[in-house]
Amino acid sequence: MESIPHKHHVVFLLLLLFPSPLVFCQLDYKFYQYTCPNLTNIVRYGVLSAIANDTRIAASLLRLHFHDCFVNGCDGSLLLDDTNTFKGEKNALPNRNSVRGYEVIDTIKSSLEKVCPSTVSCADIVTLVAREAVYLTGGQFWLVPLGRRDGTTANETAANEQLPSPFESLENITAKFTSKNLDMKDVVVLSGAHTIGFAQCFTFKPRLFNFAGSGKSDPTLDPSLLENLQRVCPNQDDSDTKLAPLDPQTTNKFDNIYYRNLVNKSGLLQSDQALIGDNRTASLVDYYSKYPFLFLKDFGVSMVKMANIGVLTGQNGEIRKNCRRVN
Ligand code: HEM
Ligand SMILES: *[C@@H]1O[C@H](CO)[C@@H](O)[C@H](O)[C@H]1NC(C)=O
Ligand SMILES: *[C@@H]1O[C@H](CO)[C@@H](O)[C@H](O)[C@H]1NC(C)=O
Ligand SMILES: *[C@@H]1O[C@H](CO)[C@@H](O)[C@H](O)[C@H]1NC(C)=O
Ligand SMILES: *[C@@H]1O[C@H](CO)[C@@H](O)[C@H](O)[C@H]1NC(C)=O
Ligand SMILES: *[C@@H]1O[C@H](CO)[C@@H](O)[C@H](O)[C@H]1NC(C)=O
Ligand SMILES: *[C@@H]1O[C@H](CO)[C@@H](O)[C@H](O)[C@H]1NC(C)=O
């Protein structure tokens, strides 16, 4: 009866064969291919210059992306300054006096506005910057699907409630990841980001002097590391903001030593060391401690997953001109 397919069927078939980001509102590796062809170089140069000025900034930029994605999705909401109508995320407890790198994003954004004005979202810049931060510190390169749009609001309460704390149980941290469509493997893989950067003493001090209210130190902390940390972070409030490296062996190098540290009872945060204290995650930690290349590869895969959280595409959101405020 219907030997010739109906016109709509042909269109539908073509859509199946050639899925277009405009039709399905998905991210696309070549999103800015024609509209901002030099995007990758400009971002890489911006991150490279920032690292030349301050080695730690690579770690800070990687964390900035994580804290953006976990609140309102990867929509650049973390970059918004407070306004009369909403309180931004910058002053939420996990971010205040802790997240760094906003100026680096501003500098890259203004370079981009000169060559492709109102084209590249702040959310995509943050995502690409995180990839470059890993790549330029020795990690593996991965391709980033693009086309995120910028959110028009931020949520301080959500930042306080949804970002994981280093004092939380693995159970609770996993629940926070699961609610973002990530799983327990992603917790292990993405925690590997703690192979670079620093933490303030208050984020692990209870382990040094009063672990779980015991009046003693954490028995899962290596004694010689404990001694070093007690020197950096003496048991008084004015040491709270002093810094210790998350991976003292290779602080600025993106490698798998983080996992080898965990095997050696040398994780800095309680939430790091907990990964080897639970038999659902310990075997993966052990595996990454032995196979650096497999960690670096899996890290890229989990980063792409994280970078997909709650993205705005198509006509949603906007392309900000200035990452600090909505247009
Ligand atoms: C699994 C749950 C996580 C917890 C509980 C956690 C907690 C923390 C804490 C407390 C700090 C120190 C902050 C400060 O002292 O100001 C920190 C630093 C850092 N975090 Fe995490 N984090 C987690 C996951 C992640 C993820 C998923 C990433 C990225 C993919 C990441 C990347 C970093 C980096 C690179 C630093 C060093 C930042 C710098 O030196 O400026 N973290 N994290
Ligand atoms: C692309 O950007 C880089 C970094 O800013 C710059 O050095 C290079 O000249 C640019 N290339 C083109 C073709 O504009
Ligand atoms: C260099 O790094 C320091 C420390 O993070 C920062 O205060 C300063 O603004 C940076 N300068 C430039 C030009 O990026
Ligand atoms: C902010 O997030 C909280 C919970 O995380 C939610 O209850 C609240 O409705 C959000 N506020 C806005 C304005 O979206
Ligand atoms: C885990 O989450 C529950 C429910 O939010 C909370 O009551 C509990 O204190 C948390 N436990 C830890 C160790 O963070
Ligand atoms: C872990 O401990 C083993 C045995 O003590 C040692 O050979 C190795 O160098 C340590 N690894 C790290 C990263 O400290
Ligand atoms: C894993 O740990 C749970 C709870 O501690 C225990 O019941 C279970 O037997 C353990 N499984 C293995 C394979 O060790």
Side-chain angles (χ1 to χ4, degrees), residues 167-169 172:
F167 304 112
E168 268 181 304
S169 62
N172 285 20

Side-chain angles (χ1 to χ4, degrees), residues 30-98:
K30 297 181 172 174
F31 193 83
Y32 299 107
Q33 183 175 28
Y34 302 113
T35 54
C36 202
N38 205 16
L39 170 60
T40 307
N41 285 325
I42 292 167
V43 171
R44 181 164 305 161
Y45 176 77
V47 177
L48 200 61
S49 313
I51 294 175
N53 171 59
D54 167 18
T55 324
R56 181 187 172 197
I57 205 74
S60 307
L61 291 166
L62 174 56
R63 182 165 184 250
L64 191 155
H65 176 47
F66 163 49
H67 283 211
D68 180 31
C69 290
F70 261 58
V71 183
N72 277 5
C74 310
D75 70 340
S77 56
L78 173 55
L79 305 173
L80 292 172
D81 289 335
D82 291 354
T83 69
N84 293 332
T85 49
F86 63 75
K87 285 177 99 183
E89 293 158 23
K90 287 178 175 175
N91 287 317
L93 284 175
N95 295 334
R96 185 183 198 133
N97 298 322
S98 179

Side-chain angles (χ1 to χ4, degrees), residues 71-143:
V71 183
N72 277 5
C74 310
D75 70 340
S77 56
L78 173 55
L79 305 173
L80 292 172
D81 289 335
D82 291 354
T83 69
N84 293 332
T85 49
F86 63 75
K87 285 177 99 183
E89 293 158 23
K90 287 178 175 175
N91 287 317
L93 284 175
N95 295 334
R96 185 183 198 133
N97 298 322
S98 179
V99 168
R100 307 166 74 242
Y102 301 116
E103 297 79 9
V104 177
I105 305 297
D106 290 339
T107 303
I108 293 172
K109 175 64 170 174
S110 55
S111 304
L112 287 168
E113 286 300 294
K114 284 182 194 134
V115 288
C116 16
S118 291
T119 303
V120 184
S121 67
C122 299
D124 275 342
I125 295 172
V126 168
T127 310
L128 285 169
V129 160
R131 191 269 312 274
E132 293 304 324
V134 172
Y135 180 60
L136 295 172
T137 50
Q140 198 180 269
F141 188 85
W142 66 89
L143 290 172

